[in-house]
C-alpha cells in the first residue's frame, strides 16, 4: 500500500470510531495518517514545565530566541525552521499575521500568563533561524510543558505524532520521575514512537561529582528500558547543561562548550537526522501500525456486532418467509379442494342425476325460470361463494389483487319441440266404440311418454351446456386465483440494508487495516553490519569536530 492509500484508509476508518471513548484514537489515526505524507522532518523538545526545554533550544541555536523564566513559560507550540535571518511570524484566529525580526514578541503570544493560561487567539507561532541543523526541511518544535493542565498535555501528546524525532529533556534535580516514565510509555511506546533521544539537564547544579554520577547512572538505567531506535554507536542519553551551554556559545568559550555537553549532543543530532531521515517512511509506518492495531480490535468488534444484528434480522425474516410460504401452500391446497368438489358437482352425470327430472317437470309445468332461480342457482351459488370467499380471504391476507368473479352465467331457457299427437285411424275409432276407448288411451300414453322424453332431453341439453361452460370458467378462474394466492417475501428492512452496506464498508476497511498491520518494518538498527556502524561513528566524529569550524 502507498502512503497516500494508508493515510486515506486511516481517515476512512475514523468514521466508524465516533464514540467519545475513541476520540483519542481517532485523533491519533488522523495525525499518524497526515504525518505519513508530511514532506518535512520534525524534531520536538519534550519535558515538564521548567525542565529547560526552551533553554536547550537556545543552546542549540546559540542565541536566546525562546523565552525562558524560572516559572512555567511556553504555552504554545513554537516551530523553528530554516531562514536566512532570525524572524518571527504569529498567525491569529482573526486572520491577522504578525511578522517581525524581534523574537521578543514570543513573550506576548507564546508564553503562559500569570494564571497559567495560554492565548486562545493564537493559531501558530513560527521562528526562522539560519542554523545548519534546520537546513533541508528540518523543523524544530518547542512544545508547552507537560504535567500541568490536561489541555496542555493533549496539545503536546498530539504534537508527538507530528514529528519524527523527540528530544526528551530530564531534570537532574528530579531525575526521571515515575510520572515521566509512565507518560512516555503511554505517549511514545503505546503509539509506536521509538525515535527518542534523552537529555539530562542541570546536572551542573548538583553539589558534587558523586551525586552527579549517581543521578546519571540512575537515569541511564531507566532510559535503557525504552530501547529507542537510534543509529548504532549513538548514545540514547546525553548530559547537557543548557544554560551554561547558551552562555558558552554566546561567548565562544570552547572548553565550556565541551564540558556543557552541547557539542557532543549537537554532533549526535547531526548524525541521527540523516540516518532517520533515510528511514522516515519506516519510522512513521511504525506509528501507523500501532494505531492500526488499536483500530483493528475496535473495527472487529463492530464487524461482529453488525454481523450478529444482520444474522438475527435474517433469521426473523426467514421465519416470516417460511410461515408465509406454509400459509400459501395451505390456502392453495384448500382452494384446490373446493375447486375439485365444485368440478365434480359440475360433471354432466352429477347434474343430470341431481336436476334433470326437476328441470323437465319445471319445463312441463312452464315453471322453469322459477326452478332455475329457486333451486338451481342457489345450488351453484353455494359452491361459487365458497370458492370466491376463500380466494378473497387469501388475497386479503397476502395483500394481492383478487381475480374477477367466477362466471356462473346460465344457458338460455330450453326451447321444446313437442312431438305431434298421433290421431286414431277409422278402424281404431270404430274399435274404441266397442272397447271403451282403449286405442285413445294407448295413443295418449305414447304421446305423454314422447312429450316427457322431449322435456328430459331439453333438460339434459341444458345441463350439459351449463356443465361445459361452467367447467371452462372454473378452470380459468382457478388459474387466475392461483396467480393471486402468492406470498411475496418481505423486502429487506432499510435499517438492515444500511447495516449490510456499513458491514461491507467495514470489512473492506478492516482488511485494509490488517494489511497495514502486516506491513514489514525493518528498523532493527542494532543488526546493521559493522561497516555501516563504522560509517555512523565516522559521521559522528566528523560532526563533532566540524562544530568548532562553524
Amino acid at each position: 500500500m502507498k502512503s497516500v492509500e494508508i493515510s486515506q484508509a486511516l481517515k476512512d476508518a475514523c468514521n466508524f470510531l465516533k464514540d467519545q471513548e475513541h476520540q483519542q484514537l481517532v485523533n491519533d489515526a488522523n495525525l499518524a495518517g497526515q504525518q505519513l505524507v508530511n514532506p518535512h522532518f520534525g524534531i520536538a523538545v519534550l519535558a515538564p514545565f521548567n525542565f529547560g526545554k526552551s533553554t536547550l533550544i537556545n543552546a542549540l541555536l546559540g542565541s536566546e530566541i525562546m523565552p525562558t523564566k524560572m516559572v512555567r513559560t511556553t504555552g504554545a507550540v513554537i516551530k523553528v525552521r530554516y531562514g536566512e535571518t532570525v524572524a518571527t511570524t504569529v498567525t491569529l484566529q482573526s486572520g491577522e499575521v504578525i511578522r517581525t525580526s524581534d523574537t521578543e514578541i514570543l513573550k506576548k503570544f507564546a508564553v503562559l500568563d500569570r494564571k497559567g493560561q495560554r492565548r486562545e487567539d493564537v493559531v501558530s507561532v513560527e521562528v526562522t533561524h539560519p542554523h545548519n541543523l534546520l537546513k533541508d526541511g528540518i523543523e524544530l518544535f518547542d512544545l508547552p510543558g507537560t504535567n500541568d493542565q490536561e489541555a496542555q498535555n493533549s496539545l503536546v501528546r498530539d504534537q508527538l505524532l507530528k514529528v519524527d524525532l523527540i528530544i526528551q529533556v530530564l531534570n537532574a534535580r528530579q531525575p526521571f520521575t515515575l510520572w515521566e516514565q509512565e507518560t512516555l510509555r503511554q505517549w511514545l511506546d503505546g503509539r509506536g514512537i521509538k525515535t527518542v533521544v534523552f537529555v539530562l539537564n542541570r546536572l551542573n547544579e548538583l553539589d558534587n561529582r558523586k551525586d552527579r554520577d549517581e543521578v546519571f547512572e540512575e537515569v541511564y538505567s531507566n532510559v535503557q528500558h525504552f530501547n529507542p531506535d537510534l543509529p548504532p554507536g549513538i548514545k540514547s542519553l546525553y548530559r547537557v547543561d543548557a544554560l551554561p551551554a547558551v552562555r558558552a556559545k554566546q561567548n565562544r568559550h570552547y572548553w565550556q562548550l565541551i564540558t556543557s555537553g552541547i557539542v557532543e549532543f549537537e554532533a549526535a543530532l547531526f548524525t541521527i537526522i540523516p540516518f532517520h531521515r533515510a528511514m522516515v517512511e519506516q519510522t512513521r509506518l511504525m506509528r501507523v501500525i500501532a494505531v492500526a492495531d488499536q483500530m483493528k480490535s475496535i473495527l472487529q468488534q463492530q464487524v461482529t456486532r453488525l454481523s450478529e444484528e444482520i444474522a438475527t434480522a435474517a433469521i426473523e425474516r426467514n421465519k416470516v418467509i417460511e410461515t408465509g410460504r406454509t400459509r400459501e401452500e395451505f390456502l392453495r391446497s384448500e382452494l384446490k379442494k373446493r375447486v375439485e368438489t365444485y368440478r365434480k358437482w359440475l360433471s354432466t352425470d352429477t347434474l343430470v342425476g341431481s336436476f334433470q327430472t326437476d328441470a323437465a317437470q319445471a319445463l312441463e309445468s312452464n315453471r322453469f325460470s322459477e326452478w332455475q332461480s329457486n333451486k338451481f342457482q342457489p345450488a351453484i351459488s353455494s359452491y361459487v361463494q365458497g370458492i370466491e370467499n376463500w380466494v378473497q380471504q387469501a388475497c386479503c391476507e397476502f395483500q394481492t389483487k383478487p381475480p374477477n368473479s367466477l362466471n356462473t352465467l346460465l344457458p338460455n331457457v330450453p326451447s321444446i319441440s313437442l312431438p305431434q299427437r298421433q290421431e286414431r285411424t277409422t278402424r281404431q275409432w270404430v274399435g274404441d266404440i266397442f272397447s271403451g276407448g282403449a286405442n285413445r288411451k294407448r295413443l295418449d300414453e305414447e304421446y305423454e311418454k314422447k312429450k316427457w322424453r322431449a322435456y328430459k332431453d331439453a333438460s339434459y341439453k341444458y345441463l350439459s351446456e351449463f356443465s361445459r361452460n361452467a367447467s371452462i370458467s372454473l378452470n380459468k378462474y382457478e388459474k387466475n386465483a392461483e396467480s393471486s394466492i402468492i406470498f411475496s417475501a418481505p423486502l429487506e428492512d432499510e435499517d438492515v440494508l444500511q447495516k449490510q452496506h456499513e458491514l461491507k464498508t467495514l470489512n473492506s476497511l478492516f482488511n485494509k487495516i490488517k494489511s497495514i498491520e502486516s506491513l514489514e518494518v525493518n528498523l532493527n538498527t542494532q543488526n546493521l553490519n559493522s561497516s555501516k556502524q563504522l560509517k555512523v561513528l565516522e559521521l559522528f566524529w566528523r560532526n563533532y569536530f566540524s562544530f568548532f569550524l562553524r
Side-chain angles (χ1 to χ4, degrees), residues 40 64 98 173 198 331 437 439 484:
H40 302 289
E64 297 189 36
I98 304 170
R173 291 191 173 275
F198 295 86
L331 293 173
N439 287 324
S484 298

Side-chain angles (χ1 to χ4, degrees), residues 514-533:
K514 284 180 64 179
S515 297
I516 293 172
E517 192 187 26
S518 64
L519 291 173
E520 290 289 338
V521 179
N522 183 16
L523 275 182
N524 190 357
T525 58
Q526 305 303 318
N527 290 335
L528 293 177
N529 59 49
S530 57
S531 63
K532 289 186 177 180
Q533 294 183 28

Side-chain angles (χ1 to χ4, degrees), residues 305-529:
R305 175 183 59 80
L306 279 176
S307 298
E308 289 175 351
E309 290 176 0
I310 292 171
T312 300
I315 291 172
E316 294 300 320
R317 182 170 178 268
N318 288 336
K319 286 181 180 178
V320 172
I321 293 174
E322 184 179 354
T323 301
R325 287 176 177 167
T326 301
R327 184 65 178 163
E328 175 190 303
E329 185 179 346
F330 170 75
L331 293 173
R332 282 169 166 261
S333 175
E334 288 299 311
L335 170 65
K336 193 169 189 66
K337 289 179 182 178
R338 285 166 169 74
V339 168
E340 285 303 314
T341 300
Y342 184 38
R343 184 175 282 118
K344 288 180 181 179
W345 185 82
L346 285 176
S347 69
T348 301
D349 290 343
T350 300
L351 290 175
V352 168
S354 300
F355 296 103
Q356 185 181 27
T357 299
D358 286 347
Q361 289 174 348
L363 284 172
E364 186 180 28
S365 61
N366 203 26
R367 293 182 293 103
F368 190 83
S369 294
E370 180 181 344
W371 168 84
Q372 189 174 245
S373 300
N374 296 335
K375 285 191 175 182
F376 193 48
Q377 280 187 326
I380 297 170
S381 295
S382 65
Y383 287 101
V384 170
Q385 288 178 4
I387 293 172
E388 287 187 337
N389 289 343
W390 186 259
V391 173
Q392 287 282 353
Q393 174 187 332
C395 290
C396 181
E397 186 172 330
F398 291 151
Q399 297 182 348
T400 57
K401 184 180 179 181
N404 295 329
S405 298
L406 178 55
N407 187 6
T408 57
L409 293 178
L410 299 174
N412 295 327
V413 176
S415 57
I416 309 299
S417 297
L418 294 176
Q420 292 184 351
R421 180 183 291 274
Q422 186 177 354
E423 296 297 331
R424 289 174 295 176
T425 62
T426 301
R427 183 178 176 181
Q428 291 172 333
W429 183 82
V430 172
D432 282 343
I433 296 176
F434 299 101
S435 61
N439 287 324
R440 176 176 289 278
K441 290 180 180 178
R442 181 178 58 80
L443 290 175
D444 286 344
E445 288 176 356
E446 288 179 357
Y447 175 73
E448 290 299 327
K449 287 180 179 179
K450 290 179 180 179
K451 186 176 70 170
W452 178 245
R453 173 53 56 190
Y455 286 129
K456 291 192 71 174
D457 288 347
S459 297
Y460 182 87
K461 182 179 179 181
Y462 173 88
L463 294 171
S464 296
E465 183 180 353
F466 173 75
S467 173
R468 182 173 58 257
N469 293 337
S471 295
I472 292 173
S473 296
L474 179 61
N475 292 338
K476 183 178 179 181
Y477 181 85
E478 181 184 21
K479 184 178 180 180
N480 292 334
E482 287 180 343
S483 299
S484 298
I485 303 176
I486 295 291
F487 168 75
S488 297
L491 297 175
E492 289 277 15
D493 188 81
E494 284 295 328
D495 182 56
V496 175
L497 291 175
Q498 178 63 32
K499 288 179 179 178
Q500 289 175 344
H501 175 72
E502 190 175 337
L503 179 61
K504 183 178 179 181
T505 305
L506 257 176
N507 276 321
S508 175
L509 282 173
F510 181 73
N511 290 331
K512 287 181 180 179
I513 295 299
K514 284 180 64 179
S515 297
I516 293 172
E517 192 187 26
S518 64
L519 291 173
E520 290 289 338
V521 179
N522 183 16
L523 275 182
N524 190 357
T525 58
Q526 305 303 318
N527 290 335
L528 293 177
N529 59 49

Side-chain angles (χ1 to χ4, degrees), residues 82-269:
Y82 185 81
E84 295 295 333
T85 60
V86 176
T88 303
T89 302
V90 178
T91 303
L92 303 179
Q93 288 183 349
S94 64
E96 180 183 2
V97 179
I98 304 170
R99 295 185 177 88
T100 177
S101 59
D102 185 6
T103 58
E104 287 294 312
I105 196 175
L106 295 174
K107 295 179 180 179
K108 179 179 180 180
F109 292 100
V111 172
L112 298 175
D113 61 21
R114 292 181 179 179
K115 295 181 180 180
Q117 302 296 320
R118 63 188 180 92
R119 291 188 55 146
E120 296 295 335
D121 61 337
V122 175
V123 175
S124 65
V125 179
E126 184 178 284
V127 174
T128 58
H129 193 281
H131 195 285
N132 288 337
L133 184 71
L134 302 173
K135 284 186 175 181
D136 302 324
I138 304 299
E139 296 176 339
L140 185 62
F141 294 87
D142 186 8
L143 304 182
T146 57
N147 196 19
D148 182 51
Q149 299 182 26
E150 183 55 36
Q152 297 290 101
N153 288 343
S154 296
L155 179 64
V156 173
R157 184 169 55 232
D158 290 347
Q159 191 67 32
L160 297 181
L161 280 173
K162 299 166 69 175
V163 298
D164 301 291
L165 177 64
I166 295 165
I167 300 172
Q168 172 70 47
V169 180
L170 305 174
N171 188 346
R173 291 191 173 275
Q174 304 175 51
F176 219 174
T177 64
L178 290 177
W179 184 89
E180 288 178 274
Q181 295 179 46
E182 183 58 31
T183 300
L184 283 179
R185 289 190 182 93
Q186 293 177 6
W187 292 5
L188 302 184
D189 274 4
R191 302 159 86 197
I193 303 174
K194 302 290 288 183
T195 49
V196 55
V197 60
F198 295 86
V199 171
L200 182 58
N201 186 25
R202 296 184 175 174
L203 201 61
N204 61 303
E205 297 178 10
L206 299 185
D207 294 333
N208 56 70
R209 182 182 182 87
K210 180 181 179 183
D211 290 342
R212 292 193 290 270
D213 290 343
E214 286 181 356
V215 169
F216 190 88
E217 289 301 322
E218 179 184 348
V219 172
Y220 179 80
S221 176
N222 288 325
V223 163
Q224 300 313 302
H225 293 301
F226 288 92
N227 192 28
D229 282 311
L230 295 171
I234 298 300
K235 298 187 297 185
S236 56
L237 174 64
Y238 293 86
R239 170 193 173 175
V240 179
D241 299 323
L243 187 56
V246 173
R247 294 168 180 166
K249 272 200 174 182
Q250 290 174 333
N251 299 323
R252 299 190 63 81
H253 196 298
Y254 292 115
W255 178 247
Q256 288 182 2
L257 284 172
I258 294 172
T259 57
S260 70
I262 192 64
V263 178
E264 183 183 17
F265 179 60
E266 193 168 318
L269 286 181

